[in-house]
Amino acid sequence: MSLHPTPIGEIPTETIHVARAAFPRGTVVTRLRDEFTTLYEDEDFRRFYPSRGQPGLAPWRLALVTVLQFLEHLSDRQAADAVRARIDWKYALGLELTDPGFHFSVLTEFRARLVAGKAEHLLLDRMLERFKARGLVKARGKQRTDSTHVLAAVHDLSLLELVAETLRAALDDLAAVVPDWVRAVALPAWFERYGRRVEEYRLPKGQDKRAALALEIGTDGFLLLDALEHPSAPTAARDLPMVQTLRDVWRTHYSHDDGKSHWRSTTELPPVAERVQSPYDPQAHFSMKRNLSWTGYKVHITETCDDDAAHLITHVKTCPAMRPDMTSTAEIHDRLAAKGLLPAEHFVDSGYVDAELLARSQRDHGVSLEGPVRGVSSRVGHGYELRYFSIDWDREQVTCPKGKDSVSWRTVRAADGSPRIHAQFSRADCRVCPAKTVCTSVTSARRYVHFHLREEYEALNAARTRMTDPTWLERYRRRAGVEGTLSRGVRSFGMRRSRYTGLAKTGLQQVCTAAATNVSRVVHWLNGRPRARTRVTRFAALAATA
């Protein structure tokens, strides 16, 4: 299908009359079309379609249908039925009342075009451009960020299920591409062992039998991998994604010495967060936060939080589940800068903050990163805390609590590769110091301290100082509102469960969820509907009246 621009400014007269009669007060969908005639345009999606060929469905309509689908938490089939049968959707899409709609698989194809073009953020970014033109969202205000977990669209597998199902899935994919080759290399027992999906309840119960089966599966997998490496193996077979997954799983769980397979013990395995959890979604990883554990992904939501404007989501980032929050802070700022939507103040929790990010955010983007920093360790090296030492940056010298100056100052690399200042004191001074027993260890002849570079050190200390300021603590309460956004996303839009497999598709789902959230919020804001207050239980409310 090729792209032939479709006019979006006109709505058929009959559709207008019927829609206004059916919905005299309007709906979220109809009000959205009234306020934003050109929320999306065909030109926004030109690069995903050929310029020649049979005309296809208008991309701007498919984009709007996708957003409305997530607004109402519909499946593809339900969304296609809504286009065909609902008056308010026909009004929003500018369709005749008799328009037959389209097959629901078209929505899958449209999402696939966005994923293939690495344009998962396009639906949200184009929406924000239109909102920005209307003055509904602006730069240099206040924004806040938080994250939540996303469950993968695959179920957890035991280790034995994982290896067996990975081999079965690889054979299944190979049978679809090179059936004659698979028939030639497969052993007769394979058709019985891997002919149907591997389920836990079908596996042996005894540990000895399970261990024997694991070795048989490992041997079968190595035979298949050896056959794939043979020069006579078809190239198409070697390049299958599931074959690569098979290699990764076997490398993790098996060793192969002297032609024999060995099942690795738990102590030999890499950290669970680095392993493949399912062959059907190799990018989904295990993670744990406090008492919560899950297999899937993590999504970061950033939204505006100014009192005099609608609270709109400005950026969504979906990443592997085990990745720490602070690895996303800089990228969030870079993406907001590219959109022209950088905040002046960015409210986050301690997981998004460290010394480098505090300094970098202000230096590179003029953003004040507002969040608590982690506590200071009780000692630096041994003994007195760093706060008892005074630092003369110009002279590159540190003075200890007893008034002695350091004799060396040099830049070293910390364990994570970042630069640190390392200062040491004189052995002669430390040897006779009355505070030696509480300042240095028994094995150390002299005291040393290490700390961040000046810009980072000062930013970190300023952040620690403001944590005790009642005014700042009151301002920081603004951050808590983003948790309500996450809660709404989970309850109304299914944010916490992925509909699809793979990081890119899951990321697109989260972007569509954010766009749907923005639609709801913008319409309510234009209608003058006040923002909901934080819910309080009836029992907790008694405290306010006591």
Side-chain angles (χ1 to χ4, degrees), residues 129-435:
E129 288 178 7
R130 273 66 180 193
F131 289 168
K132 189 177 179 181
R134 284 282 301 272
L136 292 169
V137 62
K138 61 183 180 180
R140 296 304 171 186
K142 298 178 176 65
Q143 295 188 34
R144 55 196 178 196
T145 297
D146 203 358
S147 66
T148 190
H149 63 279
V150 180
L151 303 178
V154 292
H155 70 274
D156 292 335
L157 302 174
S158 67
L159 296 184
L160 187 55
E161 277 184 297
L162 171 64
V163 295
E165 187 61 14
T166 300
L167 181 52
R168 189 205 67 81
L171 288 169
D172 210 45
D173 284 6
L174 287 167
V177 178
V178 286
D180 294 335
W181 181 84
V182 173
R183 190 180 297 110
V185 302
L187 299 178
W190 290 10
F191 294 98
E192 174 63 26
R193 192 174 295 154
Y194 311 113
R196 58 180 177 175
R197 184 178 290 274
V198 178
E199 302 284 357
E200 177 66 33
Y201 73 89
R202 294 195 182 108
L203 297 175
K205 304 305 178 186
Q207 289 300 319
D208 292 341
K209 292 182 178 180
R210 291 175 72 92
L213 178 59
L215 291 178
E216 289 180 355
I217 294 171
T219 301
D220 294 343
F222 282 118
L223 287 174
L224 179 60
L225 291 173
D226 289 342
L228 286 165
E229 293 300 323
H230 194 274
S232 63
T235 302
R238 296 194 194 101
D239 297 337
L240 283 176
M242 193 61 74
V243 169
Q244 182 57 48
T245 302
L246 176 67
R247 292 190 182 100
D248 293 339
V249 171
W250 254 241
R251 189 182 306 114
T252 298
H253 294 280
Y254 290 101
S255 60
H256 196 52
D257 302 317
D258 301 327
K260 294 184 178 180
S261 302
H262 301 279
W263 178 253
R264 296 188 190 275
S265 65
T266 304
T267 57
E268 296 177 282
L269 296 177
V272 65
E274 299 176 9
R275 304 180 216 157
V276 172
Q277 299 296 315
S278 170
Y280 301 108
D281 193 351
Q283 294 176 307
H285 290 281
F286 175 87
S287 187
M288 190 167 185
K289 184 176 182 180
R290 292 186 286 273
N291 295 326
L292 173 68
S293 61
W294 77 98
T295 296
Y297 303 93
K298 182 188 293 185
V299 61
H300 302 269
I301 300 294
T302 302
E303 67 173 359
T304 59
C305 55
D306 296 287
D307 294 331
D308 59 348
H311 290 178
L312 301 179
I313 296 174
T314 55
H315 184 63
V316 176
K317 175 178 171 56
T318 305
C319 62
M322 67 290 192
R323 184 171 297 174
D325 289 346
M326 67 175 58
T327 60
S328 300
T329 307
E331 183 181 341
I332 291 172
H333 289 164
D334 291 342
R335 292 298 300 270
L336 290 174
K339 301 176 188 182
L341 290 175
L342 274 172
E345 296 177 296
H346 188 188
F347 294 89
V348 295
D349 62 28
S350 60
Y352 291 89
V353 181
D354 67 8
E356 181 183 359
L357 291 169
L358 287 167
R360 177 180 175 181
S361 300
Q362 188 64 53
R363 180 184 66 246
D364 295 350
H365 298 297
V367 174
S368 177
L369 192 60
E370 304 285 336
V373 295
R374 300 183 187 277
V376 187
S377 60
S378 60
R379 289 180 171 84
V380 179
H382 182 79
Y384 289 118
E385 296 176 4
L386 181 59
R387 60 193 176 96
Y388 292 112
F389 292 75
S390 60
I391 303 173
D392 189 327
W393 297 96
D394 297 327
R395 294 174 53 208
E396 294 188 347
Q397 200 167 60
V398 181
T399 303
C400 78
K402 295 299 182 180
K404 300 298 182 180
D405 294 331
S406 61
V407 295
S408 70
W409 173 295
R410 59 193 178 96
T411 302
V412 299
R413 292 286 172 182
D416 60 0
S418 57
R420 295 286 190 274
I421 301 298
H422 182 91
Q424 285 188 331
F425 291 85
S426 167
R427 284 191 178 91
D429 290 337
C430 291
R431 188 180 301 115
V432 298
C433 180

Side-chain angles (χ1 to χ4, degrees), residues 365-534:
H365 298 297
V367 174
S368 177
L369 192 60
E370 304 285 336
V373 295
R374 300 183 187 277
V376 187
S377 60
S378 60
R379 289 180 171 84
V380 179
H382 182 79
Y384 289 118
E385 296 176 4
L386 181 59
R387 60 193 176 96
Y388 292 112
F389 292 75
S390 60
I391 303 173
D392 189 327
W393 297 96
D394 297 327
R395 294 174 53 208
E396 294 188 347
Q397 200 167 60
V398 181
T399 303
C400 78
K402 295 299 182 180
K404 300 298 182 180
D405 294 331
S406 61
V407 295
S408 70
W409 173 295
R410 59 193 178 96
T411 302
V412 299
R413 292 286 172 182
D416 60 0
S418 57
R420 295 286 190 274
I421 301 298
H422 182 91
Q424 285 188 331
F425 291 85
S426 167
R427 284 191 178 91
D429 290 337
C430 291
R431 188 180 301 115
V432 298
C433 180
K436 182 178 186 300
T437 56
V438 296
C439 187
T440 60
S441 64
V442 176
T443 58
S444 176
R446 57 178 171 176
R447 180 61 193 268
Y448 66 88
V449 291
H450 56 272
F451 44 90
H452 293 276
L453 302 184
R454 183 172 186 173
E455 182 183 31
E456 299 171 3
Y457 181 85
E458 292 177 346
L460 189 61
N461 276 277
R464 285 182 175 137
T465 300
R466 74 189 181 196
M467 287 171 60
T468 60
D469 183 359
T471 303
W472 183 84
L473 293 173
E474 181 64 27
R475 286 177 51 243
Y476 182 68
R477 293 178 61 185
R478 185 181 299 271
R479 188 213 67 87
V482 72
E483 295 171 356
T485 298
L486 296 178
S487 177
R488 172 83 187 282
V490 171
R491 291 181 290 106
S492 300
F493 305 113
M495 175 184 286
R496 199 166 278 162
R497 288 187 176 272
S498 179
R499 296 186 177 195
Y500 320 109
T501 57
L503 179 61
K505 292 181 181 180
T506 301
L508 176 59
Q509 173 188 336
Q510 300 303 330
V511 168
C512 293
T513 298
T517 302
N518 282 352
V519 165
S520 175
R521 289 183 169 184
V522 160
V523 169
H524 290 327
W525 176 263
L526 294 174
N527 286 339
R529 179 175 172 177
R531 283 190 283 267
R533 296 182 176 275
T534 302

